[in-house]
Amino acid sequence: MKRKLTILAVIFVLMMLLLPLLSTAARGDDNQRRTSVEIEGDGNYININSLSANPLQGNEYSVIFTGSTFLVMFKQYAQSQSYDLMFNIQLLNLTLNNNGQNTELINFADQEFYLVSRPVVQNGLFELSVISASHLAVMKMTIVAANSTSLISEPYGNITLTPNEIKLSFEIITGNEDMMDGFFGGGISQNASITLNLRVNATSQIMSANGGAASEISFSQGGNSGYFSWSNSAIVDGQNRPVLSSLSYNVLSLIYPYGHVIIHDPFLGISPSTLSKIAQAVATLTPNILLFASTAAASAIAIAAATVYKKRRL
């Protein structure tokens, strides 16, 4: 009898210790991840790795930027040898449409990005910048990642950044007015526009959605999904202006009104539902575990009471 009581008591204690951990898993990542940044050379290779802070989930995703391409890879288990979702976004070129004529301002295959600022780590945020330039324009791209949900203050308002995504700040700077007017002869039309062309590739289904304040392209594979999203407005020479977009033959075009300084902030990430899949599975076990723990506790108490009663009778 003592042995049974001891075993049940041990089970009860173990379940009480495990319940807080399982409850944490049931809440998903709880807005916490472990993010690291690896850089090689002059920024030719940047790897932003995000690992679940919850050991029961253990999912992992990486956003690798090399040359002019973002490669996103996700796996449900960090120890897995294969990825459950992969997609990439390649920056192709920046063009100016002026009076019906298209002129390439930057070809990112020829003018690859290079690092202009080392990673800055502050309050759980990781930030670094890369740049590509030609004689007609400059494109600076700032990459921001977070360990937990963070509110980022920008000149045009606050942005919420969650740990399942990274923020990309595109800053496009064209030559001054005299330079551009001189290069294009008749000057720049008031209806001129600048287009950023990107190629989206995936081994999965690609879907696009436009409308409202933001648009996105989603990538899905085996129930896992990721996305590239952007605001339907940008800051052009200090003014909030509309951004048009089109997707044709896997080429996404972001079309901005012409300006000397254009700022646009897209997001790239893994959907929260994908990151929380394992947590949801664990959550379904929690009620059964609670029942088992309660039963074990009741059994232990009943046996203890019976033992005490028996000893008193003796």
Side-chain angles (χ1 to χ4, degrees), residues 25-292:
R27 292 195 300 270
D29 275 358
D30 201 22
N31 292 325
Q32 293 289 333
R33 294 185 70 84
R34 289 178 288 167
T35 304
S36 61
V37 180
E38 175 190 359
I39 298 175
E40 293 182 5
D42 295 327
N44 316 81
Y45 177 91
I46 299 170
N47 181 6
I48 301 172
N49 182 264
S50 179
L51 184 65
S52 171
N54 190 325
L56 285 181
Q57 284 183 258
N59 59 59
E60 178 183 12
Y61 77 87
S62 295
V63 178
I64 296 173
F65 182 70
T66 177
S68 58
T69 302
F70 285 97
L71 172 62
V72 182
M73 301 179 294
F74 170 78
K75 49 189 176 182
Q76 286 285 3
Y77 301 96
Q79 303 303 319
S80 175
Q81 298 300 311
S82 60
Y83 289 93
D84 299 296
L85 175 67
M86 292 181 65
F87 61 93
N88 70 68
I89 297 176
Q90 180 185 7
L91 283 77
L92 298 175
N93 59 11
L94 193 68
T95 63
L96 168 66
N97 183 287
N98 184 45
N99 295 318
Q101 298 294 319
N102 282 317
T103 303
E104 189 172 68
L105 301 179
I106 303 178
N107 185 309
F108 297 115
D110 297 333
Q111 284 91 25
E112 291 188 348
F113 288 86
Y114 59 90
L115 195 68
V116 291
S117 70
R118 305 298 297 181
V120 175
V121 182
Q122 186 175 8
N123 298 326
L125 289 173
F126 297 77
E127 181 177 319
L128 59 88
S129 297
V130 294
I131 196 170
S132 174
S134 72
H135 64 290
L136 292 175
V138 172
M139 180 164 172
K140 179 182 177 183
M141 184 164 56
T142 301
I143 304 170
V144 184
N147 277 324
S148 60
T149 300
S150 304
L151 192 64
I152 303 175
S153 178
E154 298 285 358
Y156 44 85
N158 294 328
I159 293 178
T160 299
L161 179 65
T162 58
N164 60 287
E165 62 188 358
I166 64 172
K167 184 175 82 73
L168 307 174
S169 180
F170 295 159
E171 185 175 355
I172 300 167
I173 304 170
T174 60
N176 61 43
E177 188 171 347
D178 291 339
M179 172 188 167
M180 297 300 282
D181 285 348
F183 185 86
F184 290 98
I188 304 296
S189 165
Q190 290 184 346
N191 297 320
S193 61
I194 289 180
T195 300
L196 175 62
N197 293 304
L198 311 95
R199 179 176 288 118
V200 294
N201 296 295
T203 56
S204 57
Q205 183 181 7
I206 300 175
M207 298 181 64
S208 64
N210 292 288
S215 299
E216 76 170 32
I217 293 177
S218 61
F219 310 86
S220 62
Q221 179 180 348
N224 305 300
S225 61
Y227 60 88
F228 176 72
S229 65
W230 61 93
S231 170
N232 288 329
S233 63
I235 304 299
V236 180
D237 292 340
Q239 301 294 317
N240 198 23
R241 301 289 301 278
V243 175
L244 303 178
S245 61
S246 66
L247 179 63
S248 177
Y249 298 101
N250 283 18
V251 174
L252 170 66
S253 298
L254 299 177
I255 306 165
Y256 309 99
Y258 176 79
H260 295 295
V261 179
I262 300 169
I263 300 174
H264 195 210
D265 286 359
F267 289 82
L268 182 64
I270 303 296
S271 67
S273 60
T274 293
L275 290 183
S276 64
K277 273 205 281 191
I278 295 180
Q280 291 167 0
V282 173
T284 61
L285 296 176
T286 304
N288 294 331
I289 291 171
L290 282 168
L291 177 62
F292 176 80

Side-chain angles (χ1 to χ4, degrees), residues 296-312:
S299 299
I301 293 169
I303 292 172
T307 303
V308 171
Y309 176 75
K310 183 177 179 182
K311 285 183 178 180
R312 286 182 178 177

